[in-house]
Amino acid sequence: MDHHCPWVNNCIGFGNYRYFFLTIFYITLGTLYGIMLLGPPFYGAMKIQFKEHGFKLLLKHKTGLLDLPPPWVMWRQARTTGIEPDDLLRMVVAVLLGAGLAMVVFLAYHVMYVFLGLTTLEHSISLSLMKKELEANPSDIRRIRRNRPINPFDHGWKRNFAQALGPSFLSLVLPIPIEPRAPLAPKRKCD
């Protein structure tokens, strides 16, 4: 087991890491696609707002640059007359930008883990060991970086990629079921 993910409500490990990675990948693509689709209308709406009112942080609703109505007003509008299209556009783009940024960072970390042959747990343990060494000897940061714990499961980025995500790039982008390969044996023994 690598870790328990509250977002998919399951433990992530060797048998389901590929599906976890694909979930992150597709959510990231979806948020970026939504931002690209809604970007031009959002830009137009904000351009009109800036032309009419100038660059002010507090306008009609006093809620910041996007000038969204407070949640209780939007809830009332949703139940009665409907939310104004411009308000809905600004709200959805803000949510997509926040979620997209978080997912890009999350995906980048997991791409790094795949290429280095690490799990989230192994990376966390490695960082905590380096932190303890740094606290004990703060002036020796170069030695600590050089003497990082050895990862016996790192077989180079290509083999790590094939091990975690499948034998080809096509198997990565298509959500087809692929049995995980047998775990690679450590290339060197740990002491």
PDB file of all heavy atoms in Angstrom, residues 67-99:
ATOM      1  N   ASP A  67     -16.564  40.135  -8.367  1.00  0.00           N
ATOM      2  CA  ASP A  67     -17.838  40.765  -8.005  1.00  0.00           C
ATOM      3  C   ASP A  67     -19.001  39.782  -8.077  1.00  0.00           C
ATOM      4  O   ASP A  67     -20.033  40.052  -8.673  1.00  0.00           O
ATOM      5  CB  ASP A  67     -18.111  41.989  -8.882  1.00  0.00           C
ATOM      6  CG  ASP A  67     -19.199  42.878  -8.293  1.00  0.00           C
ATOM      7  OD1 ASP A  67     -19.246  42.992  -7.049  1.00  0.00           O
ATOM      8  OD2 ASP A  67     -20.007  43.423  -9.065  1.00  0.00           O
ATOM      9  N   LEU A  68     -18.826  38.627  -7.458  1.00  0.00           N
ATOM     10  CA  LEU A  68     -19.894  37.627  -7.398  1.00  0.00           C
ATOM     11  C   LEU A  68     -20.848  37.964  -6.265  1.00  0.00           C
ATOM     12  O   LEU A  68     -20.426  38.469  -5.226  1.00  0.00           O
ATOM     13  CB  LEU A  68     -19.303  36.237  -7.157  1.00  0.00           C
ATOM     14  CG  LEU A  68     -18.481  35.654  -8.287  1.00  0.00           C
ATOM     15  CD1 LEU A  68     -17.771  34.405  -7.826  1.00  0.00           C
ATOM     16  CD2 LEU A  68     -19.353  35.363  -9.488  1.00  0.00           C
ATOM     17  N   PRO A  69     -22.135  37.675  -6.439  1.00  0.00           N
ATOM     18  CA  PRO A  69     -23.054  37.860  -5.318  1.00  0.00           C
ATOM     19  C   PRO A  69     -22.695  36.898  -4.186  1.00  0.00           C
ATOM     20  O   PRO A  69     -22.113  35.837  -4.436  1.00  0.00           O
ATOM     21  CB  PRO A  69     -24.426  37.507  -5.905  1.00  0.00           C
ATOM     22  CG  PRO A  69     -24.256  37.465  -7.362  1.00  0.00           C
ATOM     23  CD  PRO A  69     -22.808  37.248  -7.648  1.00  0.00           C
ATOM     24  N   PRO A  70     -23.038  37.216  -2.957  1.00  0.00           N
ATOM     25  CA  PRO A  70     -22.794  36.287  -1.844  1.00  0.00           C
ATOM     26  C   PRO A  70     -23.527  34.963  -2.095  1.00  0.00           C
ATOM     27  O   PRO A  70     -24.515  34.913  -2.831  1.00  0.00           O
ATOM     28  CB  PRO A  70     -23.368  37.013  -0.632  1.00  0.00           C
ATOM     29  CG  PRO A  70     -23.447  38.445  -1.028  1.00  0.00           C
ATOM     30  CD  PRO A  70     -23.625  38.480  -2.500  1.00  0.00           C
ATOM     31  N   PRO A  71     -23.058  33.876  -1.478  1.00  0.00           N
ATOM     32  CA  PRO A  71     -23.662  32.558  -1.731  1.00  0.00           C
ATOM     33  C   PRO A  71     -25.171  32.504  -1.467  1.00  0.00           C
ATOM     34  O   PRO A  71     -25.901  31.867  -2.215  1.00  0.00           O
ATOM     35  CB  PRO A  71     -22.902  31.636  -0.781  1.00  0.00           C
ATOM     36  CG  PRO A  71     -21.621  32.322  -0.502  1.00  0.00           C
ATOM     37  CD  PRO A  71     -21.888  33.780  -0.605  1.00  0.00           C
ATOM     38  N   TRP A  72     -25.662  33.176  -0.404  1.00  0.00           N
ATOM     39  CA  TRP A  72     -27.088  33.123  -0.107  1.00  0.00           C
ATOM     40  C   TRP A  72     -27.918  33.827  -1.179  1.00  0.00           C
ATOM     41  O   TRP A  72     -29.018  33.403  -1.482  1.00  0.00           O
ATOM     42  CB  TRP A  72     -27.399  33.684   1.283  1.00  0.00           C
ATOM     43  CG  TRP A  72     -26.922  35.084   1.500  1.00  0.00           C
ATOM     44  CD1 TRP A  72     -27.587  36.233   1.227  1.00  0.00           C
ATOM     45  CD2 TRP A  72     -25.655  35.471   2.033  1.00  0.00           C
ATOM     46  NE1 TRP A  72     -26.818  37.325   1.545  1.00  0.00           N
ATOM     47  CE2 TRP A  72     -25.614  36.883   2.049  1.00  0.00           C
ATOM     48  CE3 TRP A  72     -24.549  34.776   2.495  1.00  0.00           C
ATOM     49  CZ2 TRP A  72     -24.524  37.602   2.499  1.00  0.00           C
ATOM     50  CZ3 TRP A  72     -23.466  35.497   2.949  1.00  0.00           C
ATOM     51  CH2 TRP A  72     -23.459  36.890   2.954  1.00  0.00           C
ATOM     52  N   VAL A  73     -27.343  34.863  -1.804  1.00  0.00           N
ATOM     53  CA  VAL A  73     -28.048  35.542  -2.899  1.00  0.00           C
ATOM     54  C   VAL A  73     -28.077  34.635  -4.130  1.00  0.00           C
ATOM     55  O   VAL A  73     -29.115  34.511  -4.796  1.00  0.00           O
ATOM     56  CB  VAL A  73     -27.368  36.895  -3.219  1.00  0.00           C
ATOM     57  CG1 VAL A  73     -27.983  37.531  -4.458  1.00  0.00           C
ATOM     58  CG2 VAL A  73     -27.467  37.834  -2.030  1.00  0.00           C
ATOM     59  N   MET A  74     -26.952  33.981  -4.413  1.00  0.00           N
ATOM     60  CA  MET A  74     -26.932  33.066  -5.558  1.00  0.00           C
ATOM     61  C   MET A  74     -27.879  31.893  -5.333  1.00  0.00           C
ATOM     62  O   MET A  74     -28.531  31.420  -6.274  1.00  0.00           O
ATOM     63  CB  MET A  74     -25.505  32.583  -5.822  1.00  0.00           C
ATOM     64  CG  MET A  74     -24.612  33.676  -6.367  1.00  0.00           C
ATOM     65  SD  MET A  74     -22.992  33.096  -6.794  1.00  0.00           S
ATOM     66  CE  MET A  74     -23.269  32.628  -8.473  1.00  0.00           C
ATOM     67  N   TRP A  75     -27.961  31.402  -4.094  1.00  0.00           N
ATOM     68  CA  TRP A  75     -28.872  30.300  -3.786  1.00  0.00           C
ATOM     69  C   TRP A  75     -30.331  30.741  -4.016  1.00  0.00           C
ATOM     70  O   TRP A  75     -31.120  30.008  -4.597  1.00  0.00           O
ATOM     71  CB  TRP A  75     -28.655  29.846  -2.345  1.00  0.00           C
ATOM     72  CG  TRP A  75     -29.577  28.767  -1.912  1.00  0.00           C
ATOM     73  CD1 TRP A  75     -30.619  28.884  -1.045  1.00  0.00           C
ATOM     74  CD2 TRP A  75     -29.561  27.405  -2.331  1.00  0.00           C
ATOM     75  NE1 TRP A  75     -31.251  27.679  -0.889  1.00  0.00           N
ATOM     76  CE2 TRP A  75     -30.620  26.749  -1.679  1.00  0.00           C
ATOM     77  CE3 TRP A  75     -28.757  26.672  -3.200  1.00  0.00           C
ATOM     78  CZ2 TRP A  75     -30.894  25.411  -1.871  1.00  0.00           C
ATOM     79  CZ3 TRP A  75     -29.042  25.333  -3.374  1.00  0.00           C
ATOM     80  CH2 TRP A  75     -30.100  24.718  -2.714  1.00  0.00           C
ATOM     81  N   ARG A  76     -30.649  31.942  -3.562  1.00  0.00           N
ATOM     82  CA  ARG A  76     -32.005  32.460  -3.759  1.00  0.00           C
ATOM     83  C   ARG A  76     -32.298  32.625  -5.248  1.00  0.00           C
ATOM     84  O   ARG A  76     -33.386  32.278  -5.716  1.00  0.00           O
ATOM     85  CB  ARG A  76     -32.160  33.799  -3.033  1.00  0.00           C
ATOM     86  CG  ARG A  76     -33.593  34.262  -2.935  1.00  0.00           C
ATOM     87  CD  ARG A  76     -33.818  35.529  -2.113  1.00  0.00           C
ATOM     88  NE  ARG A  76     -32.846  35.778  -1.078  1.00  0.00           N
ATOM     89  CZ  ARG A  76     -32.004  36.825  -1.056  1.00  0.00           C
ATOM     90  NH1 ARG A  76     -32.047  37.719  -2.017  1.00  0.00           N
ATOM     91  NH2 ARG A  76     -31.139  36.984  -0.080  1.00  0.00           N
ATOM     92  N   GLN A  77     -31.321  33.151  -5.997  1.00  0.00           N
ATOM     93  CA  GLN A  77     -31.509  33.303  -7.443  1.00  0.00           C
ATOM     94  C   GLN A  77     -31.697  31.942  -8.116  1.00  0.00           C
ATOM     95  O   GLN A  77     -32.534  31.803  -9.012  1.00  0.00           O
ATOM     96  CB  GLN A  77     -30.307  34.003  -8.076  1.00  0.00           C
ATOM     97  CG  GLN A  77     -30.205  35.464  -7.788  1.00  0.00           C
ATOM     98  CD  GLN A  77     -28.931  36.064  -8.383  1.00  0.00           C
ATOM     99  OE1 GLN A  77     -28.068  35.357  -8.875  1.00  0.00           O
ATOM    100  NE2 GLN A  77     -28.846  37.378  -8.343  1.00  0.00           N
ATOM    101  N   ALA A  78     -30.924  30.956  -7.708  1.00  0.00           N
ATOM    102  CA  ALA A  78     -31.009  29.627  -8.324  1.00  0.00           C
ATOM    103  C   ALA A  78     -32.387  29.013  -8.091  1.00  0.00           C
ATOM    104  O   ALA A  78     -32.908  28.303  -8.953  1.00  0.00           O
ATOM    105  CB  ALA A  78     -29.922  28.718  -7.753  1.00  0.00           C
ATOM    106  N   ARG A  79     -32.992  29.286  -6.934  1.00  0.00           N
ATOM    107  CA  ARG A  79     -34.309  28.710  -6.631  1.00  0.00           C
ATOM    108  C   ARG A  79     -35.449  29.489  -7.259  1.00  0.00           C
ATOM    109  O   ARG A  79     -36.530  28.952  -7.445  1.00  0.00           O
ATOM    110  CB  ARG A  79     -34.515  28.653  -5.122  1.00  0.00           C
ATOM    111  CG  ARG A  79     -33.643  27.633  -4.449  1.00  0.00           C
ATOM    112  CD  ARG A  79     -33.963  27.481  -3.008  1.00  0.00           C
ATOM    113  NE  ARG A  79     -34.457  28.756  -2.463  1.00  0.00           N
ATOM    114  CZ  ARG A  79     -34.747  28.974  -1.217  1.00  0.00           C
ATOM    115  NH1 ARG A  79     -34.614  28.019  -0.356  1.00  0.00           N
ATOM    116  NH2 ARG A  79     -35.179  30.138  -0.795  1.00  0.00           N
ATOM    117  N   THR A  80     -35.251  30.764  -7.577  1.00  0.00           N
ATOM    118  CA  THR A  80     -36.363  31.579  -8.077  1.00  0.00           C
ATOM    119  C   THR A  80     -36.166  31.951  -9.543  1.00  0.00           C
ATOM    120  O   THR A  80     -36.677  31.292 -10.427  1.00  0.00           O
ATOM    121  CB  THR A  80     -36.540  32.842  -7.212  1.00  0.00           C
ATOM    122  OG1 THR A  80     -35.311  33.573  -7.200  1.00  0.00           O
ATOM    123  CG2 THR A  80     -36.945  32.493  -5.786  1.00  0.00           C
ATOM    124  N   THR A  81     -35.398  32.997  -9.792  1.00  0.00           N
ATOM    125  CA  THR A  81     -35.284  33.545 -11.153  1.00  0.00           C
ATOM    126  C   THR A  81     -34.157  32.935 -11.968  1.00  0.00           C
ATOM    127  O   THR A  81     -34.127  33.088 -13.178  1.00  0.00           O
ATOM    128  CB  THR A  81     -35.055  35.068 -11.084  1.00  0.00           C
ATOM    129  OG1 THR A  81     -33.830  35.311 -10.384  1.00  0.00           O
ATOM    130  CG2 THR A  81     -36.208  35.761 -10.388  1.00  0.00           C
ATOM    131  N   GLY A  82     -33.224  32.298 -11.327  1.00  0.00           N
ATOM    132  CA  GLY A  82     -32.054  31.759 -12.034  1.00  0.00           C
ATOM    133  C   GLY A  82     -30.856  32.670 -11.829  1.00  0.00           C
ATOM    134  O   GLY A  82     -30.997  33.885 -11.693  1.00  0.00           O
ATOM    135  N   ILE A  83     -29.679  32.072 -11.829  1.00  0.00           N
ATOM    136  CA  ILE A  83     -28.437  32.835 -11.625  1.00  0.00           C
ATOM    137  C   ILE A  83     -28.114  33.587 -12.907  1.00  0.00           C
ATOM    138  O   ILE A  83     -28.257  33.059 -14.006  1.00  0.00           O
ATOM    139  CB  ILE A  83     -27.284  31.889 -11.239  1.00  0.00           C
ATOM    140  CG1 ILE A  83     -27.614  31.150  -9.943  1.00  0.00           C
ATOM    141  CG2 ILE A  83     -25.975  32.648 -11.094  1.00  0.00           C
ATOM    142  CD1 ILE A  83     -26.607  30.099  -9.559  1.00  0.00           C
ATOM    143  N   GLU A  84     -27.672  34.814 -12.748  1.00  0.00           N
ATOM    144  CA  GLU A  84     -27.278  35.626 -13.902  1.00  0.00           C
ATOM    145  C   GLU A  84     -26.166  34.913 -14.674  1.00  0.00           C
ATOM    146  O   GLU A  84     -25.211  34.412 -14.063  1.00  0.00           O
ATOM    147  CB  GLU A  84     -26.776  36.995 -13.436  1.00  0.00           C
ATOM    148  CG  GLU A  84     -27.828  37.857 -12.796  1.00  0.00           C
ATOM    149  CD  GLU A  84     -28.862  38.324 -13.785  1.00  0.00           C
ATOM    150  OE1 GLU A  84     -28.510  38.618 -14.947  1.00  0.00           O
ATOM    151  OE2 GLU A  84     -30.042  38.370 -13.403  1.00  0.00           O
ATOM    152  N   PRO A  85     -26.236  34.869 -16.003  1.00  0.00           N
ATOM    153  CA  PRO A  85     -25.215  34.157 -16.784  1.00  0.00           C
ATOM    154  C   PRO A  85     -23.786  34.655 -16.539  1.00  0.00           C
ATOM    155  O   PRO A  85     -22.861  33.844 -16.449  1.00  0.00           O
ATOM    156  CB  PRO A  85     -25.638  34.387 -18.236  1.00  0.00           C
ATOM    157  CG  PRO A  85     -27.102  34.650 -18.164  1.00  0.00           C
ATOM    158  CD  PRO A  85     -27.331  35.339 -16.854  1.00  0.00           C
ATOM    159  N   ASP A  86     -23.595  35.962 -16.412  1.00  0.00           N
ATOM    160  CA  ASP A  86     -22.243  36.485 -16.168  1.00  0.00           C
ATOM    161  C   ASP A  86     -21.723  36.062 -14.799  1.00  0.00           C
ATOM    162  O   ASP A  86     -20.540  35.753 -14.647  1.00  0.00           O
ATOM    163  CB  ASP A  86     -22.208  38.010 -16.286  1.00  0.00           C
ATOM    164  CG  ASP A  86     -22.131  38.476 -17.727  1.00  0.00           C
ATOM    165  OD1 ASP A  86     -21.896  37.621 -18.607  1.00  0.00           O
ATOM    166  OD2 ASP A  86     -22.307  39.685 -17.967  1.00  0.00           O
ATOM    167  N   ASP A  87     -22.608  36.051 -13.795  1.00  0.00           N
ATOM    168  CA  ASP A  87     -22.199  35.602 -12.459  1.00  0.00           C
ATOM    169  C   ASP A  87     -21.830  34.125 -12.479  1.00  0.00           C
ATOM    170  O   ASP A  87     -20.834  33.715 -11.875  1.00  0.00           O
ATOM    171  CB  ASP A  87     -23.321  35.835 -11.446  1.00  0.00           C
ATOM    172  CG  ASP A  87     -23.588  37.307 -11.185  1.00  0.00           C
ATOM    173  OD1 ASP A  87     -22.709  38.129 -11.512  1.00  0.00           O
ATOM    174  OD2 ASP A  87     -24.676  37.621 -10.656  1.00  0.00           O
ATOM    175  N   LEU A  88     -22.630  33.337 -13.162  1.00  0.00           N
ATOM    176  CA  LEU A  88     -22.359  31.906 -13.268  1.00  0.00           C
ATOM    177  C   LEU A  88     -21.026  31.662 -13.988  1.00  0.00           C
ATOM    178  O   LEU A  88     -20.221  30.834 -13.558  1.00  0.00           O
ATOM    179  CB  LEU A  88     -23.504  31.209 -13.997  1.00  0.00           C
ATOM    180  CG  LEU A  88     -23.454  29.697 -14.045  1.00  0.00           C
ATOM    181  CD1 LEU A  88     -23.506  29.126 -12.634  1.00  0.00           C
ATOM    182  CD2 LEU A  88     -24.603  29.160 -14.883  1.00  0.00           C
ATOM    183  N   LEU A  89     -20.791  32.409 -15.058  1.00  0.00           N
ATOM    184  CA  LEU A  89     -19.538  32.279 -15.804  1.00  0.00           C
ATOM    185  C   LEU A  89     -18.343  32.604 -14.920  1.00  0.00           C
ATOM    186  O   LEU A  89     -17.369  31.837 -14.874  1.00  0.00           O
ATOM    187  CB  LEU A  89     -19.559  33.202 -17.034  1.00  0.00           C
ATOM    188  CG  LEU A  89     -18.272  33.271 -17.836  1.00  0.00           C
ATOM    189  CD1 LEU A  89     -18.032  31.964 -18.564  1.00  0.00           C
ATOM    190  CD2 LEU A  89     -18.327  34.427 -18.822  1.00  0.00           C
ATOM    191  N   ARG A  90     -18.394  33.717 -14.196  1.00  0.00           N
ATOM    192  CA  ARG A  90     -17.274  34.101 -13.336  1.00  0.00           C
ATOM    193  C   ARG A  90     -17.044  33.088 -12.213  1.00  0.00           C
ATOM    194  O   ARG A  90     -15.911  32.788 -11.861  1.00  0.00           O
ATOM    195  CB  ARG A  90     -17.497  35.509 -12.779  1.00  0.00           C
ATOM    196  CG  ARG A  90     -17.373  36.582 -13.851  1.00  0.00           C
ATOM    197  CD  ARG A  90     -17.280  37.965 -13.264  1.00  0.00           C
ATOM    198  NE  ARG A  90     -18.397  38.324 -12.414  1.00  0.00           N
ATOM    199  CZ  ARG A  90     -19.446  39.039 -12.792  1.00  0.00           C
ATOM    200  NH1 ARG A  90     -19.526  39.482 -14.019  1.00  0.00           N
ATOM    201  NH2 ARG A  90     -20.416  39.322 -11.946  1.00  0.00           N
ATOM    202  N   MET A  91     -18.141  32.531 -11.665  1.00  0.00           N
ATOM    203  CA  MET A  91     -18.009  31.553 -10.597  1.00  0.00           C
ATOM    204  C   MET A  91     -17.385  30.252 -11.119  1.00  0.00           C
ATOM    205  O   MET A  91     -16.467  29.702 -10.517  1.00  0.00           O
ATOM    206  CB  MET A  91     -19.369  31.253  -9.974  1.00  0.00           C
ATOM    207  CG  MET A  91     -19.307  30.243  -8.843  1.00  0.00           C
ATOM    208  SD  MET A  91     -20.902  29.847  -8.154  1.00  0.00           S
ATOM    209  CE  MET A  91     -21.707  29.034  -9.508  1.00  0.00           C
ATOM    210  N   VAL A  92     -17.860  29.760 -12.251  1.00  0.00           N
ATOM    211  CA  VAL A  92     -17.360  28.496 -12.797  1.00  0.00           C
ATOM    212  C   VAL A  92     -15.893  28.627 -13.202  1.00  0.00           C
ATOM    213  O   VAL A  92     -15.085  27.736 -12.926  1.00  0.00           O
ATOM    214  CB  VAL A  92     -18.240  28.030 -13.985  1.00  0.00           C
ATOM    215  CG1 VAL A  92     -17.589  26.895 -14.742  1.00  0.00           C
ATOM    216  CG2 VAL A  92     -19.611  27.629 -13.486  1.00  0.00           C
ATOM    217  N   VAL A  93     -15.518  29.725 -13.822  1.00  0.00           N
ATOM    218  CA  VAL A  93     -14.116  29.909 -14.224  1.00  0.00           C
ATOM    219  C   VAL A  93     -13.221  29.993 -12.993  1.00  0.00           C
ATOM    220  O   VAL A  93     -12.131  29.411 -12.973  1.00  0.00           O
ATOM    221  CB  VAL A  93     -13.945  31.147 -15.135  1.00  0.00           C
ATOM    222  CG1 VAL A  93     -12.482  31.492 -15.326  1.00  0.00           C
ATOM    223  CG2 VAL A  93     -14.603  30.892 -16.484  1.00  0.00           C
ATOM    224  N   ALA A  94     -13.673  30.655 -11.936  1.00  0.00           N
ATOM    225  CA  ALA A  94     -12.871  30.734 -10.715  1.00  0.00           C
ATOM    226  C   ALA A  94     -12.669  29.351 -10.102  1.00  0.00           C
ATOM    227  O   ALA A  94     -11.556  28.999  -9.689  1.00  0.00           O
ATOM    228  CB  ALA A  94     -13.534  31.673  -9.707  1.00  0.00           C
ATOM    229  N   VAL A  95     -13.735  28.551 -10.063  1.00  0.00           N
ATOM    230  CA  VAL A  95     -13.621  27.189  -9.525  1.00  0.00           C
ATOM    231  C   VAL A  95     -12.693  26.350 -10.407  1.00  0.00           C
ATOM    232  O   VAL A  95     -11.843  25.607  -9.905  1.00  0.00           O
ATOM    233  CB  VAL A  95     -15.015  26.540  -9.381  1.00  0.00           C
ATOM    234  CG1 VAL A  95     -14.910  25.057  -9.108  1.00  0.00           C
ATOM    235  CG2 VAL A  95     -15.803  27.236  -8.288  1.00  0.00           C
ATOM    236  N   LEU A  96     -12.853  26.456 -11.721  1.00  0.00           N
ATOM    237  CA  LEU A  96     -11.997  25.691 -12.634  1.00  0.00           C
ATOM    238  C   LEU A  96     -10.530  26.101 -12.511  1.00  0.00           C
ATOM    239  O   LEU A  96      -9.645  25.247 -12.563  1.00  0.00           O
ATOM    240  CB  LEU A  96     -12.461  25.864 -14.084  1.00  0.00           C
ATOM    241  CG  LEU A  96     -13.680  25.066 -14.503  1.00  0.00           C
ATOM    242  CD1 LEU A  96     -14.101  25.442 -15.919  1.00  0.00           C
ATOM    243  CD2 LEU A  96     -13.427  23.585 -14.407  1.00  0.00           C
ATOM    244  N   LEU A  97     -10.273  27.390 -12.366  1.00  0.00           N
ATOM    245  CA  LEU A  97      -8.886  27.836 -12.209  1.00  0.00           C
ATOM    246  C   LEU A  97      -8.268  27.297 -10.927  1.00  0.00           C
ATOM    247  O   LEU A  97      -7.133  26.817 -10.926  1.00  0.00           O
ATOM    248  CB  LEU A  97      -8.807  29.359 -12.231  1.00  0.00           C
ATOM    249  CG  LEU A  97      -8.862  30.014 -13.597  1.00  0.00           C
ATOM    250  CD1 LEU A  97      -8.994  31.534 -13.447  1.00  0.00           C
ATOM    251  CD2 LEU A  97      -7.644  29.674 -14.416  1.00  0.00           C
ATOM    252  N   GLY A  98      -9.015  27.362  -9.831  1.00  0.00           N
ATOM    253  CA  GLY A  98      -8.502  26.843  -8.564  1.00  0.00           C
ATOM    254  C   GLY A  98      -8.268  25.339  -8.612  1.00  0.00           C
ATOM    255  O   GLY A  98      -7.199  24.841  -8.234  1.00  0.00           O
ATOM    256  N   ALA A  99      -9.263  24.607  -9.094  1.00  0.00           N
ATOM    257  CA  ALA A  99      -9.131  23.151  -9.182  1.00  0.00           C
ATOM    258  C   ALA A  99      -8.058  22.768 -10.196  1.00  0.00           C
ATOM    259  O   ALA A  99      -7.271  21.847  -9.959  1.00  0.00           O
ATOM    260  CB  ALA A  99     -10.471  22.526  -9.566  1.00  0.00           C
TER     261      ALA A  99
END
